[in-house]
Amino acid sequence: MASVSEAAAGADAERPRGRLERKASAIDYTILSPGTVSINVQGAFIVDADPSNPPTPSDDGAQHDTDIRLPNHISVVSHVALDIGGSLAKLVYFSHEPDSKDPGGRLNFVKYETDQIDQCLDFIKRLQLDFHAQNGSRSGKMFIMATGGGAYKYYDEMRKVLGAEILREDEMDCLIMGLDFFITEIPREVFTYDDTDPMHFEEARADIYPYLLVNIGSGVSMVKVSGRREFERIGGTSLGGGTLWGLLSLLTGARTFDDMLKMAEVGDNAAVDMLVGDIYGADYSKIGLKSTTIASSFGKVFKVKRRGETQAEDHGGLSHESREEDNDASHSEPVFKPEDISRSLLYAVSNNIGQIAYLQSEKHNLEHIYFGGSFIRGHRQTIETLSYAINFWSKGEKKAYFLRHEGYLGSVGAFLKRQPRNWGRRNSFEEYPVVRPTIQHREA
């Protein structure tokens, strides 16, 4: 069956039509003749945020990330995709711009903390109302593509609240499909990091296999990808974003993950970690260790804490009132600052992930290592640490690759998996070749 874009092109060859008339034709064709719909990525670009007006969480807890403009996609998209993890729910949806003179629309990226799933579902309900208002009564229902553990945990609640069909997709399938899409189709999405060029963009390319995906969410999964639908989870670690979030919530006053990252930006891990310089007084150049290399995460804590306890014991003859004053002072000026603790733990978790990723890439002979997942969030210290780990252990032979939409691999993959009702799995998106510059998937 011809795609919507092909049908529209054939109709336009017969007589000129305005943008609104072409859009109406696309709507009718989609509703009356469901089949293959092309997500037209020709001319796609990321809409860079205004640095003077960074995105902030809305009143309902939604955090909006940078959109991807699709200037040549005019057909109707009757579904949204939701990836619900242990910490975050990531939503992807397409929207036309009815008030704009330009055709096309954009992919929107929104995330909520999973604890706020009710607010997330309310947001989707508003999308449903907007969809019907823009496309009319013949548009039918909006479908919900869901992946991640929450697609099962919250399945009944989603059906009840949204009154829509919930189509659940395998999490690993979606992760790989989403990453493949970003690598091959979206310009200025994939980048590498070094001190002189913090965001060096890689060209979109087709020859991407094999590679290693390190997906860092609450935990960490490491997946060897050999080809389309050819992948294997080869390892991982339970020490991931959830570990950092949990420990810092105990050790600091931070209430959100973003608060923790902000504290880490201004912290000094040298106040908490034992460095090579603390042991040798200088670099240990014979084995390639700088004086600033971390020898032991949180290694200074015991010594500093013990020193304070010894001093307290030496002043054991102080009056009760004096000891209370000392206690009050210690509470007002803690020995270890929350910012320093945050940076130390961020380095500890990130270094551990980076080294395990390198070892897996060596074991399986994988040159390209892609880091995804909501743990990263474009945070410089995290990206710098992961890059340093891969560069250090590989002696500069391998690179760490990052994405600007790293937290949305699963939801984008689910978005691309939409198929018509009762369509056989053998005819699914993955088993058709990708026709550049469009991505083929199924639409009802």
Side-chain angles (χ1 to χ4, degrees), residues 195-323:
D195 292 335
T196 59
D197 191 359
M199 188 174 277
H200 176 77
F201 291 109
E202 298 290 319
E203 294 293 331
R205 57 192 181 87
D207 56 331
I208 62 176
Y209 306 113
Y211 64 77
L212 176 66
L213 167 60
V214 182
N215 193 60
I216 314 173
S218 299
V220 184
S221 286
M222 299 185 184
V223 185
K224 175 185 177 181
V225 183
S226 304
R228 299 186 67 191
R229 300 207 71 181
E230 296 179 33
F231 59 86
E232 174 189 6
R233 187 181 187 276
I234 55 177
T237 172
S238 62
L239 305 181
T243 307
L244 182 70
W245 197 341
L247 288 176
L248 287 183
S249 67
L250 292 173
L251 298 173
T252 72
R255 303 189 63 174
T256 70
F257 194 73
D258 288 325
D259 287 343
M260 297 170 192
L261 294 180
K262 289 177 182 177
M263 288 197 301
E265 289 177 5
V266 297
D268 179 11
N269 69 297
V272 178
D273 296 338
M274 183 179 293
L275 309 181
V276 168
D278 295 322
I279 301 172
Y280 290 94
D283 297 344
Y284 191 176
S285 54
K286 184 176 181 178
I287 59 174
L289 297 178
K290 297 179 180 180
S291 62
T292 54
T293 300
I294 299 172
S296 174
S297 297
F298 283 74
K300 285 181 180 173
V301 172
F302 175 78
K303 293 179 65 176
V304 173
K305 186 172 183 293
R306 181 57 184 157
R307 188 184 305 128
E309 291 172 349
T310 301
Q311 291 174 350
E313 291 171 359
D314 291 343
H315 293 82
L318 292 174
S319 66
H320 177 71
E321 290 79 7
S322 297
R323 286 198 297 272

Side-chain angles (χ1 to χ4, degrees), residues 6-261:
E6 291 170 342
D12 287 345
E14 296 177 6
R15 62 186 179 91
R17 294 188 178 184
R19 181 177 67 86
L20 294 178
E21 195 170 357
R22 289 199 305 272
K23 183 176 179 181
S25 175
I27 292 173
D28 289 342
Y29 189 88
T30 301
I31 296 169
L32 298 177
S33 305
T36 301
V37 170
S38 299
I39 297 297
N40 191 333
V41 297
Q42 186 174 17
F45 62 91
I46 297 174
V47 182
D48 290 316
D50 183 356
S52 64
N53 186 27
T56 56
S58 61
D59 293 339
D60 68 347
Q63 300 176 60
H64 296 262
D65 289 300
T66 52
D67 301 333
I68 294 179
R69 184 79 166 87
L70 301 175
N72 292 294
H73 184 83
I74 62 171
S75 56
V76 175
V77 178
S78 61
H79 66 280
V80 302
L82 185 61
D83 176 11
I84 311 175
S87 303
L88 293 172
K90 290 80 64 177
L91 175 67
V92 172
Y93 65 95
F94 178 83
S95 64
H96 283 292
E97 299 173 329
D99 298 327
S100 173
K101 295 181 180 179
D102 299 324
R106 60 180 64 202
L107 282 181
N108 302 269
F109 300 85
V110 184
K111 61 178 175 277
Y112 287 81
E113 291 185 11
T114 304
D115 289 344
Q116 298 176 315
I117 191 66
D118 291 342
Q119 290 92 320
C120 180
L121 297 183
D122 287 341
F123 183 87
I124 296 176
K125 285 178 68 175
R126 293 196 293 273
L127 293 181
Q128 290 175 312
L129 294 174
D130 291 342
F131 172 76
H132 293 303
Q134 292 178 17
N135 299 310
S137 59
R138 300 176 65 204
S139 58
K141 289 186 177 181
M142 176 182 282
F143 292 86
I144 313 299
M145 308 298 294
T147 190
Y152 297 88
K153 181 177 181 179
Y154 299 104
Y155 177 75
D156 291 336
E157 182 178 352
M158 286 190 289
R159 290 193 64 185
K160 179 180 178 180
V161 172
L162 301 175
E165 185 174 353
I166 312 298
L167 305 177
R168 293 176 289 191
E169 294 290 346
D170 179 77
E171 183 174 5
M172 286 297 171
D173 275 346
C174 292
L175 283 173
I176 304 308
M177 182 176 287
L179 179 54
D180 283 358
F181 172 78
F182 281 128
I183 296 173
T184 59
E185 299 295 340
I186 304 301
R188 300 175 67 83
E189 172 70 40
V190 179
F191 65 94
T192 58
Y193 174 94
D194 65 45
D195 292 335
T196 59
D197 191 359
M199 188 174 277
H200 176 77
F201 291 109
E202 298 290 319
E203 294 293 331
R205 57 192 181 87
D207 56 331
I208 62 176
Y209 306 113
Y211 64 77
L212 176 66
L213 167 60
V214 182
N215 193 60
I216 314 173
S218 299
V220 184
S221 286
M222 299 185 184
V223 185
K224 175 185 177 181
V225 183
S226 304
R228 299 186 67 191
R229 300 207 71 181
E230 296 179 33
F231 59 86
E232 174 189 6
R233 187 181 187 276
I234 55 177
T237 172
S238 62
L239 305 181
T243 307
L244 182 70
W245 197 341
L247 288 176
L248 287 183
S249 67
L250 292 173
L251 298 173
T252 72
R255 303 189 63 174
T256 70
F257 194 73
D258 288 325
D259 287 343
M260 297 170 192
L261 294 180

